[in-house]
């Protein structure tokens, strides 16, 4: 999410040449978002953000097995909520792809249409943006502005296994992340994508190496925070020993004072001047 804010900031200040050319060629009005010249954003803060993508995306393959599992989950939800399976128990929110259940259409027919949709191979999705290749594509045009302060906070909650070299969840990591996600992140390597041992440390959702700022496809500079925030570069604010859900407040960690963390950050940001 925080990376999206960096994209919006880049569009506000620099606009989009592609959109400007399209508007001119087709004689249509240009959205103010793509005009450029709007310096509204003083700072951007990212927390456990996959600037270079997260390999967790590679854990989910849109195969028939995946869809069958999703359907089984929906059936279980229907049973648990005492609702008919054919009722509107879930909205996939894919209207922009024409994937809206039609009046009188059975859920099974709707679900088959959904499986055949080109959305699963499109690059116009959050899944692609969060992948390593997708993040690299975005990093090529999202540039740090010399007028903006950028802060990046990293997190990790794993340890390196002596025998395997893989990374494993520490005791206390959120149960879902520890059981389902962290073991995959901590062992996934892909030479074709340049994903090596540096990518194994993680917070249960995102690879730690991806968090301190954009590197793949990016010319932005990342500098260690030395007590004085600098404009135009990513100020690396360090790595915290908490998992992803803890740092965003979903699963509180008694040993990490999240309220104090965000109060300090708020005070720091409030002290910034243009």
């Amino acid at each position: 999410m925080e990376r999206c804010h960096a994209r919006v900031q880049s569009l506000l200040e620099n606009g989009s040449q592609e959109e400007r050319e399209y508007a001119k060629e087709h004689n249509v009005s240009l959205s103010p978002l793509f005009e450029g010249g709007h310096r509204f954003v003083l700072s951007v803060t990212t927390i456990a953000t996959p600037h270079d993508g997260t390999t967790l995306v590679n854990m989910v393959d849109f195969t028939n097995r995946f869809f069958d599992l999703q359907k089984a989950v929906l059936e279980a939800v229907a049973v648990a909520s005492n609702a008919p399976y054919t009722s509107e128990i879930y909205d996939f929110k894919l209207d922009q792809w024409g994937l809206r259940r039609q009046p009188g259409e059975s859920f099974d027919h709707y679900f088959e249409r959904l499986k055949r949709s080109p959305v699963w191979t499109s690059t116009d999705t959050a899944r692609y943006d969060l992948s390593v290749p997708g993040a690299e594509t975005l990093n090529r045009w999202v540039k740090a502005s010399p007028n903006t302060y950028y802060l990046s906070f990293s997190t990790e909650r794993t340890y390196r296994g002596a025998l395997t070299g893989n990374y494993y969840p520490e005791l206390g990591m959120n149960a879902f992340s520890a059981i389902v996600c962290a073991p995959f992140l901590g062992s996934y390597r892909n030479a074709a994508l340049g994903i090596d041992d540096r990518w194994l440390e993680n917070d249960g959702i995102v690879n730690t190496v991806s968090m301190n700022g954009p590197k793949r496809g990016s010319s932005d500079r990342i500098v260690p925070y030395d007590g004085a925030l600098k404009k135009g570069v990513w100020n690396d604010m360090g790595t915290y020993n908490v998992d992803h859900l803890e740092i965003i407040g979903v699963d509180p960690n008694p040993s990490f004072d999240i309220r104090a963390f965000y109060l300090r950050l708020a005070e720091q940001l409030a002290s910034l001047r243009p």
Side-chain angles (χ1 to χ4, degrees):
M1 180 61 71
E2 300 97 336
R3 189 63 178 145
C4 290
H5 297 161
R7 293 176 214 162
V8 172
Q9 182 271 331
S10 181
L11 284 173
L12 285 171
E13 187 157 331
N14 304 312
S16 169
Q17 184 61 28
E18 182 180 4
E19 293 290 342
R20 286 193 289 264
E21 291 174 356
Y22 180 91
K24 183 177 180 180
E25 180 182 348
H26 294 83
N27 195 29
V28 296
S29 59
L30 180 69
S31 166
L33 176 63
F34 303 125
E35 290 174 350
H38 305 295
R39 297 179 179 176
F40 299 150
V41 182
L42 180 60
S43 69
V44 172
T45 300
T46 66
I47 300 172
T49 295
H51 291 277
D52 290 332
T54 171
T55 58
L56 191 62
V57 168
N58 298 84
M59 189 176 76
V60 180
D61 228 353
F62 291 115
T63 60
N64 283 336
R65 183 172 175 270
F66 168 79
F67 287 109
D68 290 343
L69 176 61
Q70 297 305 303
K71 193 171 182 181
V73 170
L74 292 175
E75 290 172 345
V77 170
V79 171
S81 59
N82 197 29
Y85 171 58
T86 54
S87 69
E88 296 285 353
I89 59 172
Y90 190 77
D91 185 348
F92 289 99
K93 299 293 184 182
L94 294 171
D95 294 17
Q96 71 272 29
W97 294 94
L99 292 172
R100 174 180 291 188
R101 188 175 174 187
Q102 302 302 315
E105 183 180 22
S106 72
F107 186 81
D108 287 341
H109 186 272
Y110 169 54
F111 200 81
E112 286 301 314
R113 273 202 304 120
L114 184 141
K115 287 169 63 174
R116 295 192 300 270
S117 169
V119 64
W120 312 114
T121 56
S122 170
T123 58
D124 190 20
T125 63
R127 181 181 187 272
Y128 178 73
D129 289 354
L130 290 169
S131 71
V132 174
E136 184 170 348
T137 298
L138 289 168
N139 288 343
R140 292 195 183 103
W141 67 265
V142 181
K143 306 297 183 184
S145 165
N147 308 298
T148 303
Y149 295 96
Y150 298 87
L151 293 73
S152 62
F153 292 84
S154 302
T155 53
E156 61 81 24
R157 200 79 154 90
T158 53
Y159 68 92
R160 184 178 183 275
L163 297 178
T164 64
N166 294 339
Y167 276 70
Y168 302 93
E170 292 180 1
L171 188 66
M173 178 183 280
N174 170 268
F176 175 80
S177 297
I179 295 170
V180 178
C181 306
F184 178 86
L185 287 164
S187 61
Y188 181 81
R189 300 169 178 84
N190 188 320
L193 293 177
I195 297 171
D196 53 23
D197 287 5
R198 293 172 297 176
W199 284 78
L200 302 184
E201 187 178 30
N202 65 88
D203 69 354
I205 300 293
V206 178
N207 315 79
T208 303
V209 71
S210 182
M211 299 179 187
N212 67 344
K215 296 172 287 296
R216 297 175 68 110
S218 176
S219 59
D220 289 359
R221 290 178 56 221
I222 302 172
V223 299
Y225 175 59
D226 61 4
L229 293 174
K230 301 173 180 60
K231 285 185 177 181
V233 301
W234 286 92
N235 296 270
D236 182 351
M237 307 301 287
T239 302
Y240 289 73
N241 183 222
V242 291
D243 69 42
H244 198 86
L245 297 184
E246 290 168 344
I247 197 68
I248 64 175
V250 172
D251 188 12
N253 178 350
S255 64
F256 177 68
D257 191 342
I258 190 170
R259 179 181 174 83
F261 171 81
Y262 280 104
L263 282 175
R264 286 195 304 271
L265 174 58
E267 290 170 358
Q268 190 171 34
L269 296 179
S271 68
L272 296 178
R273 296 291 179 268

